[in-house]
Amino acid sequence: MLSSTVTSEPPTNSADFPRQFARSRRFSLGVPRHFTVSPDGRRVLFVRTVSGTDPVGRLWQYEDGTERLLADPALLVGAGPGAVPEEERLLRERTRERSVGVVSYATDEAARLVAFALSGALWAVRTDGGTPFSVPAAGPVIDPRPSPDGRYIAYVSRRCFHVVDLAGTDRQLAGAEGPDISYGLAEYVAAESMNRLRGYWWAPDSRRVLLARVDTSPVEQRYIGDPADPTKPPQAIRYPAAGTPNAEVSLQLLSLEGERVEVEWDRKAYEYVVAAGWDTHGPYITVQSRDQRIVRTLAIDPETGATEVLHERTDPAWVELVEGTPARTASGALVLPEDEADTRYLTVGGRRVTPSGLQLRAVLGVEGERVLFTASEDPLETHVWCHEPGRGNRRLSRDPGRYTGVARGGTVVLAGVTPRGDEAGVLRGDGAAGDPPYQALTSLAEEPSVIPRPVHLTLGERQLHGTLFLPSWHEEGTGKLPVLLDPYGGPGIQCAGRAREWFTCVSQWFAEQGFAVLVVDGRGTPNRGPAWEKTIHGDQLTPALEDQVDALRAAGERIGDLDLTRVAIRGWSFGGFLAAAAVLHHPEIFHAAVAGAPPTDQRMYDTHWKERYLGHPEEQPENYVRSSLIGHGHLLRRPLLLVHGLADDNVAAAHTLRFSAELLAAGKPHSVLPLPGATHLPADDTVNAQLLHFQRDFLLKALEEHADQG
């Protein structure tokens, strides 16, 4: 007998779901996020919209059990909708930000002064009372951050670095020397592939900053046009495709008086700056070699800029970057990951502090000698843990789900996606979530009209983790259902888990349309250890596709209601690549596919992400041939729908257009749905709603025609 996990069973309204999914921005609106805890642990800052359909973010404060609105853009004079600076637009695209208003903020050390940008203007508010106030600035303002002492706010404007005091005395401390130079911003690969979204770091004494200078002139230039508006000129962007030059990144120690000291390291050997910071022990950076097999953590002499190697990590495949590392405890002990065989460990001061089998995901913060981190005992869940000398490791999140958090002053904020959806709460003292004194923060997100009913499966010889979604109206043994595989299947993302994420709701919606939907995480996906992740080194296609095939066959053998004579597959980005590859290489198994934004030619994707897995294309060209769809179009025998945003600056529309041209030249019928103005993830609500209908109709028709022919 099959059993599904569902917390409640309201009437299913699958007809309304696509519109709800779109207007709620994938159920992200109304969810508390971006948390900051004050040093004494009494106050928690966060961002939230006022409903599950309102896209305007507001700044809130939680204190003594009460939530208080600190900043509402609708009430600020002159803070209405306006032009978003280009740098901010790009940053939002990198982070897949879907809301407007207050979308991010930063505070001083005491969490008393909060700075944020609205439509390019600089705003601030004090958390101890008063209303938000505008701070005169050169503008348009990007990434404002108060100094630790709260006297100044640093920001970037037109690629130049500024510092302003609260009275409006503004100083440009670093001016861009040309159109390809910027100060204080993260370059493309840092933001897109390294999870480094910032380009400057304050010193604890508020007198200096560690500042990144980026020169993009060596980087290949691309042009993104709008075919729907031929009067609009194309936008030029710098995109470092695999095997081509990267931006040149250097660092400076910059005083508020304008004095500069260059940071010195072998930039030719270690061209990637993957992390940086400045704590009470001084400034530091982490740099990485182009082949990504060596990562060094360097201490910086704040007076001379000279660097000293504190730690070096090496790996014959690639050194995996772990968010939040390196960090240092109050005593100066380095907090770092360490990979060995099947486990990614947490180390403090060179000593492993987590056991074998507990997979480190991220370091969330360090306070004193305590380290807050996320890790997984079970690949289907990710929990928040605390390590403290003398007390060992304690798991703070209790219920199933995927969690993250922040901690300070004896208070922990836990935020996670559970089987009930997005949840966040404040945990005080040494308790665990669910025990007093845990206080939930209010979520205003919409409740999905389609509630996932996942059946968790372990499939095949490799014990692949999968989730099966069946229609709520289906009774076991009453008839066979066509199968729809709905994977991502690539590095960095898991889709099978004990959490009600937006994509599980989408999978259930497709199930309500008459499919048995199977979602599988194969080799290369996270949370099963370094060896599992690195199985794809040199070949991003074969293992990933084999695992989808093996899981499908194993599920068909176990569950009699799956009709393996009618199998479709859909996906986006890497999942779209996998879907197209499935009908190319296994038409005997897969009978139709929808491929959204698929990277069809791996040489066209960015340096840091793609060379990590496939090496340099000039040194290992066979890896790129093996892992690309380009060159294999002649194999197509099944219906294939290609969908692509024409303004996509991550996976360029050229991936789909060139592949379509190859298919056409080979005489292979296929369908292409271009999305004018859409980036990697379409932002238009109407488009997002109709896309679900369009994919459903295409797949149902294709499988019906296949059944008629069979």
Side-chain angles (χ1 to χ4, degrees):
M1 295 287 293
L2 295 177
S3 62
S4 61
T5 303
V6 60
T7 55
S8 60
E9 297 195 38
T12 297
N13 184 7
S14 63
D16 179 64
F17 177 82
R19 292 188 298 273
Q20 184 194 39
F21 170 73
R23 68 175 180 257
S24 67
R25 311 289 167 88
R26 300 183 175 91
F27 303 103
S28 65
L29 300 179
V31 176
R33 57 196 181 114
H34 298 322
F35 303 97
T36 299
V37 182
S38 63
D40 60 8
R42 295 187 59 186
R43 295 173 291 111
V44 176
L45 302 175
F46 61 95
V47 171
R48 185 185 59 207
T49 67
V50 296
S51 78
T53 57
D54 182 357
V56 181
R58 277 89 166 172
L59 179 66
W60 300 80
Q61 179 171 267
Y62 168 89
E63 184 175 12
D64 297 330
T66 302
E67 297 175 5
R68 178 167 65 92
L69 181 61
L70 289 182
D72 183 347
L75 303 179
L76 303 182
V77 177
V84 175
E86 180 63 16
E87 293 89 346
E88 181 178 344
R89 186 196 67 78
L90 293 173
L91 183 59
R92 290 187 183 188
E93 178 64 20
R94 299 286 82 75
T95 58
R96 314 294 185 245
E97 178 59 62
R98 299 294 313 282
S99 61
V100 295
V102 180
V103 298
S104 63
Y105 66 91
T107 76
D108 60 1
E109 177 65 19
R112 288 294 183 187
L113 178 70
V114 187
F116 54 94
L118 287 173
S119 301
L122 177 58
W123 288 81
V125 64
R126 297 193 182 279
T127 60
D128 52 3
T131 59
F133 55 94
S134 63
V135 180
V141 170
I142 305 295
D143 194 23
R145 295 179 181 272
S147 59
D149 63 9
R151 295 178 59 194
Y152 307 99
I153 300 176
Y155 67 93
V156 179
S157 180
R158 297 184 177 89
R159 297 173 286 103
C160 302
F161 182 74
H162 293 249
V163 171
V164 62
D165 64 26
L166 300 186
T169 303
D170 191 296
R171 287 171 288 171
Q172 184 188 103
L173 298 184
E177 297 90 348
D180 297 317
I181 308 297
S182 66
Y183 285 93
L185 295 174
E187 71 278 16
Y188 179 91
V189 295
E192 188 69 49
S193 301
M194 303 179 200
N195 202 34
R196 175 170 67 80
L197 301 176
R198 57 191 296 191
Y200 70 93
W201 300 264
W202 278 103
D205 65 4
S206 302
R207 299 303 308 169
R208 289 181 290 181
V209 293
L210 178 62
L211 181 68
R213 179 184 186 271
V214 175
D215 180 357
T216 60
S217 60
V219 180
E220 184 178 86
Q221 196 164 45
R222 290 183 174 181
Y223 299 90
I224 298 178
D226 183 359
D229 185 357
T231 67
K232 185 183 296 184
Q235 176 193 3
I237 65 169
R238 297 286 186 175
Y239 188 95
T244 67
N246 281 305
E248 296 178 354
V249 182
S250 58
L251 293 168
Q252 302 173 357
L253 300 160
L254 180 63
S255 75
L256 297 189
E257 290 73 35
E259 298 174 350
R260 302 191 192 193
V261 175
E262 290 286 333
V263 178
E264 300 174 0
W265 80 94
D266 187 347
R267 288 165 49 199
K268 184 175 181 180
Y270 302 94
E271 63 182 84
Y272 291 125
V273 177
V274 299
W278 200 328
D279 58 20
T280 56
H281 303 284
Y284 60 88
I285 56 171
T286 294
V287 296
Q288 186 180 42
S289 58
R290 175 73 182 246
D291 64 12
Q292 303 188 47
R293 294 174 179 172
I294 306 174
V295 169
R296 286 183 168 182
T297 299
L298 308 177
I300 302 171
D301 186 317
E303 305 305 323
T304 67
T307 56
E308 175 188 1
V309 178
L310 296 177
H311 189 272
E312 181 176 280
R313 296 172 61 206
T314 62
D315 191 282
W318 73 82
V319 176
E320 185 70 15
L321 304 179
V322 174
E323 184 179 353
T325 63
R328 284 190 285 208
T329 68
S331 66
L334 271 175
V335 179
L336 291 165
E338 181 179 305
D339 289 0
E340 182 173 315
D342 288 337
T343 300
R344 176 160 297 128
Y345 297 91
L346 173 69
T347 71
V348 180
R351 183 175 65 88
R352 294 178 184 171
V353 298
T354 50
S356 176
L358 180 62
Q359 306 294 346
L360 175 68
R361 290 300 306 271
V363 171
L364 303 175
V366 174
E367 185 179 25
E369 300 303 314
R370 294 184 180 185
V371 180
L372 194 74
F373 63 99
T374 53
S376 298
E377 297 170 289
D378 178 345
L380 299 183
E381 301 181 17
T382 301
H383 287 279
V384 174
W385 297 71
C386 178
H387 170 77
E388 187 175 4
R391 299 190 65 181
N393 301 314
R394 292 174 292 134
R395 198 178 102 177
L396 302 182
S397 50
R398 171 171 296 179
D399 291 345
R402 298 203 186 279
Y403 292 87
T404 185
V406 296
R408 213 172 176 196
T411 293
V412 181
V413 177
L414 296 175
V417 188
T418 74
R420 298 176 296 275
D422 288 276
E423 298 180 355
V426 179
L427 176 67
R428 301 197 186 277
D430 295 328
D435 294 335
Y438 178 82
Q439 176 68 49
L441 295 173
T442 304
S443 174
L444 303 173
E446 284 203 351
E447 185 73 3
S449 60
V450 172
I451 300 298
R453 306 166 55 89
V455 178
H456 298 291
L457 304 171
T458 303
L459 300 166
E461 295 181 357
R462 286 183 288 278
Q463 300 289 287
L464 300 166
H465 293 291
T467 307
L468 180 67
F469 300 87
L470 297 173
S472 60
W473 44 262
H474 178 72
E475 295 183 10
E476 186 176 353
T478 59
K480 287 183 175 290
L481 297 167
V483 182
L484 173 62
L485 271 68
D486 195 9
Y488 179 77
I493 294 178
Q494 289 178 278
C495 291
R498 298 187 184 95
R500 193 186 77 190
E501 312 227 32
W502 66 263
F503 44 80
T504 64
C505 296
V506 171
S507 293
Q508 185 66 49
W509 180 81
F510 273 100
E512 299 300 332
Q513 311 310 303
F515 294 98
V517 180
L518 181 63
V519 177
V520 177
D521 290 333
R523 283 169 287 178
T525 57
N527 255 15
R528 288 190 64 170
W532 178 266
E533 292 173 357
K534 293 173 183 177
T535 308
I536 63 171
H537 188 234
D539 187 349
Q540 280 199 279
L541 177 56
T542 307
L545 189 52
E546 283 179 351
D547 287 347
Q548 298 298 317
V549 171
D550 290 352
L552 174 65
R553 287 171 171 163
E557 292 173 0
R558 182 184 305 186
I559 302 164
D561 287 358
L562 304 189
D563 184 356
L564 299 194
T565 68
R566 294 181 293 160
V567 178
I569 183 171
R570 67 176 288 270
W572 201 271
S573 197
F574 190 95
F577 158 74
L578 203 54
V583 289
L584 287 180
H585 295 289
H586 288 288
E588 78 283 6
I589 298 173
F590 298 97
H591 308 113
V594 174
T600 62
D601 184 349
Q602 305 297 355
R603 290 189 66 144
M604 290 174 61
Y605 205 70
D606 83 60
T607 53
H608 193 269
W609 188 260
K610 198 49 59 180
E611 292 174 16
R612 179 185 312 172
Y613 308 112
L614 301 181
H616 196 287
E618 300 304 322
E619 298 170 1
Q620 296 171 296
E622 68 281 2
N623 292 348
Y624 287 79
V625 173
R626 180 188 301 122
S627 302
S628 292
L629 305 181
I630 290 289
H632 301 284
H634 63 283
L635 299 175
L636 184 65
R637 291 165 42 194
R638 300 297 187 189
L640 170 63
L641 169 63
L642 300 168
V643 186
H644 218 121
L646 297 182
D648 194 335
D649 61 357
N650 178 16
V651 181
H655 282 272
T656 283
L657 298 177
R658 291 183 182 183
F659 186 53
S660 174
E662 178 182 316
L663 294 173
L664 183 63
K668 301 297 180 179
H670 62 285
S671 301
V672 179
L673 177 61
L675 304 177
T679 56
H680 192 54
L681 294 179
D684 184 271
D685 290 350
T686 301
V687 169
N688 280 319
Q690 293 303 321
L691 264 178
L692 293 179
H693 291 294
F694 200 92
Q695 294 176 74
R696 176 201 62 190
D697 294 346
F698 176 86
L699 294 172
L700 287 174
K701 181 180 179 182
L703 291 183
E704 181 182 356
E705 291 176 350
H706 170 71
D708 291 342
Q709 295 169 2

